[in-house]
Amino acid sequence: MTQPEGERPSDGQNEERSGRVVALIPAAGRGVRLGLERPKAFVELNGRTLLARSVAAVRASGVVDEVVLVVPPELVDVVRGEHPETTVVAGGAERSDSVRAGLAAAGDADLILVHDAARALTPPSSFTAVVEALRGGRDAVVPGLPVVDTLKRVDADGTVRDTPARGTLRAVQTPQGFAADVLRRAHAGAAEATDDAGLVEALGVPVQVIDGDALAFKITAPHDLRLAKLLLAGEEIG
Ligand code: CTP
Ligand code: MG
């Protein structure tokens, strides 16, 4: 896969890299928008939790050496029992706090993937594609999809300010992949962002968007859970 020198894109690229891949799975959110009694990652979809589905997809990709699960503090012991082959740590109040807790447990990772447990139908190929781009020398890689709706920027009262050109926009997903040192630097402060790439961008490190997958949508509201069930119908007994 080594590219001739002249064909390598120059921005944000280092040498081809090998090394240990750790996947962090933030699963410590409460799932307020889903509105069920248990934390979202522990909600079942046809008999398997969102977290268990995410762990299975990571494993099935075959490109990850170690998995770190970040879960609500009260569930650490239970999850350790259910996933003995993973490292399990307690998350924090915000997603970024949970990612930082996972980073502290990621040991000697060279490459780190961060993947929302809530994106439970993400196919193994999404992990493979991100790791391939990192191995090719990118420091930060995120899957994204073209935006299909027209987006408006609005004032607090709902008045439209402008309409960003849709062709330049991408809806980004996880797994997001990073050179470990880059992600650690991005999280060194206490900054908050809705995704990890946002913190990496703030460092001035180029972030590469690759093709995402519609199945990597985030289960956020009740409608998303219903959609996930419909997508699974016919593919498995449940
Ligand atoms: N997450 C986390 N720690 C937090 C908040 C979120 O590990 N303090 C995780 C969630 O478990 C989820 C992912 O980050 O897998 C994406 O977050 P989101 O979809 O917002 O999940 P929740 O925060 O659980 O949902 P809500 O915002 O509706 O409460
Ligand atoms: Mg949340």
Side-chain angles (χ1 to χ4, degrees):
M1 289 267 296
T2 306
Q3 289 176 298
E5 199 67 53
E7 288 174 24
R8 276 190 201 150
S10 57
D11 281 351
Q13 297 235 1
N14 297 320
E15 298 299 302
E16 293 246 340
R17 52 157 97 78
S18 55
R20 192 171 169 71
V21 181
V22 174
L24 306 185
I25 305 189
R30 294 286 151 191
V32 173
R33 289 168 289 180
L34 195 55
L36 299 177
E37 270 164 22
R38 59 181 88 174
K40 184 164 70 181
F42 299 85
V43 166
E44 289 187 358
L45 187 53
N46 289 7
R48 284 169 84 198
T49 64
L50 303 190
L51 177 60
R53 288 180 177 279
S54 294
V55 172
V58 168
R59 292 272 182 229
S61 74
V63 294
V64 169
D65 299 300
E66 189 187 332
V67 180
V68 177
L69 307 181
V70 190
V71 304
E74 72 277 13
L75 293 176
V76 168
D77 288 342
V78 138
V79 177
R80 276 189 189 140
E82 284 168 2
H83 297 279
E85 74 293 0
T86 66
T87 301
V88 183
V89 296
E94 302 296 332
R95 184 183 180 281
S96 307
D97 300 321
S98 295
V99 173
R100 280 191 277 273
L103 276 173
D108 58 353
D110 298 294
L111 301 173
I112 298 181
L113 305 184
V114 185
H115 181 58
D116 295 330
R119 299 181 188 271
L121 300 190
T122 304
S125 57
S126 294
F127 300 91
T128 315
V130 170
V131 169
E132 196 171 292
L134 291 170
R135 296 256 186 240
R138 295 284 181 186
D139 283 332
V141 179
V142 304
L145 293 176
V147 174
V148 294
D149 292 315
T150 297
L151 300 184
K152 306 284 185 193
R153 204 185 320 265
V154 295
D155 287 336
D157 70 354
T159 307
V160 172
R161 288 174 50 190
D162 62 2
T163 305
R166 191 171 62 191
T168 65
L169 299 174
R170 297 291 179 273
V172 304
Q173 307 174 318
T174 72
Q176 300 193 345
F178 307 93
D181 57 320
V182 167
L183 188 62
R184 288 188 191 284
R185 263 198 292 142
H187 277 281
E192 294 298 333
T194 53
D195 76 340
D196 300 284
L199 297 176
V200 168
E201 289 154 41
L203 296 176
V205 172
V207 176
Q208 178 68 37
V209 177
I210 63 171
D211 288 343
D213 191 306
L215 286 173
F217 70 98
K218 186 158 68 70
I219 296 174
T220 303
H223 165 85
D224 302 310
L225 194 60
R226 183 161 161 66
L227 177 64
K229 285 181 181 157
L230 289 169
L231 287 166
L232 286 175
E235 287 185 23
E236 54 183 49
I237 309 290

